[in-house]
Amino acid sequence: MNKILIETKKIKKDFDHKNGLIKIFKDASFTIKSGDLVALVGPSGSGKSTLIHLLALLDNPTSGTIILKGTDSKNLNEKEKSDIRKKKISIIFQDNNLLSDFTAIENVLMPLIIRGEKYNDSFNKAKKVLIDVKLSDRINHFPNELSGGEQQRVAIARALVAETDLILADEPTGNLDYKTSKEVFSYFLKLKKMNKAVIFATHNRELADQADYKLSILNGIIKRTYGRDKK
């Protein structure tokens, strides 16, 4: 049985705005297990990116609790949160967040170097993963020399090489065509088979329906829903 990786308990998130208080979530509670492939869906502005940032420990809920692998995030200082992100969480953004002055392989090996692993070992691991995502002929290319789909595969390779428990992807196929979107999604399926938890925000209904389940956000409420072919 897959273990619970994330548990949220009655999380609320509010933002102060010049026009008044904006309430994003109301008492949201759910669990994510290792091996879960979860689509985060909802209209624009519903809070998908906000939830990604909360789960990545980049932001704090206004109230409530986020527990990651049994550790209550409220008990962590910023250094401890940063250490958890280095070792346990990978984030894939719509715009890739690749470092423009570094090659594909340098971008991929960066999480390993930050963790203190040796350069040669990191290089070999990164090269293997880039081969796995079919970018063996692009390892020395800079991001501006890659297509949008290739850049996103570099970002996925970076998540793969880090071997984290949790992968958070914020609209990872938003800028990609249909064929490339399906290719990117195929790597999420591989991560699932590796017993990683993958949560991806998306407006793509077809991809969302292929997830194990959806977390649907509407009017501050988060509900777990299933596609027609899921039970």
Side-chain angles (χ1 to χ4, degrees):
M1 182 180 293
N2 290 353
K3 296 180 179 179
I4 292 176
L5 183 62
I6 300 172
E7 184 175 7
T8 70
K9 296 181 178 180
K10 295 186 176 182
I11 59 170
K12 294 173 66 177
K13 184 62 182 176
D14 303 333
F15 289 104
D16 287 319
H17 189 269
K18 63 182 180 180
N19 296 323
L21 191 67
I22 299 174
K23 297 184 177 182
I24 306 296
F25 303 124
K26 308 169 187 174
D27 298 332
S29 301
F30 57 86
T31 59
I32 305 289
K33 294 181 179 180
S34 299
D36 281 357
L37 178 60
V38 184
L40 190 58
V41 300
S44 295
S46 61
K48 296 187 297 296
S49 293
T50 299
L51 185 57
I52 291 281
H53 279 74
L54 290 173
L55 297 179
L57 307 182
L58 291 168
D59 195 4
N60 300 314
T62 304
S63 63
T65 303
I66 298 175
I67 300 171
L68 179 63
K69 294 195 78 172
T71 300
D72 188 336
S73 63
K74 282 196 288 193
N75 299 327
L76 301 172
N77 59 37
E78 290 306 313
K79 182 183 183 304
E80 290 169 330
K81 289 178 183 178
S82 177
D83 287 341
I84 285 175
R85 281 192 296 273
K86 288 176 188 176
K87 298 173 183 177
K88 301 183 184 301
I89 302 172
S90 294
I91 310 171
I92 302 170
F93 295 99
Q94 181 175 345
D95 60 1
N96 309 301
N97 265 23
L98 299 180
L99 301 170
S100 61
D101 293 335
F102 291 84
T103 63
I105 196 164
E106 289 169 340
N107 268 279
V108 173
L109 62 81
M110 195 64 65
L112 303 179
I113 296 298
I114 290 172
R115 284 202 311 231
E117 297 192 24
K118 293 180 179 178
Y119 183 86
N120 286 344
D121 292 341
S122 300
F123 184 93
N124 291 333
K125 287 179 184 178
K127 184 176 180 180
K128 181 180 183 303
V129 173
L130 282 168
I131 291 170
D132 289 343
V133 299
K134 301 176 183 176
L135 287 175
S136 59
D137 58 342
R138 295 285 189 272
I139 63 173
N140 292 315
H141 285 60
F142 291 92
N144 65 357
E145 298 172 327
L146 303 172
S147 69
E150 287 170 338
Q151 290 178 31
Q152 200 61 296
R153 275 188 278 162
V154 172
I156 289 170
R158 187 170 56 188
L160 284 166
V161 81
E163 297 182 330
T164 55
D165 300 315
L166 174 64
I167 293 88
L168 301 168
D170 193 0
E171 295 283 356
T173 62
N175 294 329
L176 306 179
D177 59 40
Y178 177 79
K179 180 176 179 291
T180 309
S181 294
K182 292 195 74 172
E183 287 178 0
V184 166
F185 186 77
S186 72
Y187 295 109
F188 292 163
L189 294 173
K190 289 183 180 180
L191 286 162
K192 171 182 168 57
K193 288 179 181 177
M194 296 163 64
N195 210 36
K196 310 297 184 183
V198 182
I199 304 173
F200 64 102
T202 186
H203 287 289
N204 187 316
R205 185 174 298 177
E206 181 181 344
L207 295 184
D209 283 341
Q210 294 180 59
D212 295 329
Y213 57 88
K214 306 169 193 172
L215 289 178
S216 302
I217 307 176
L218 186 63
N219 298 325
I221 306 297
I222 300 178
K223 283 186 177 179
R224 182 180 299 214
T225 59
Y226 296 86
R228 286 172 295 179
D229 59 339
K230 303 284 193 306
K231 293 183 180 179

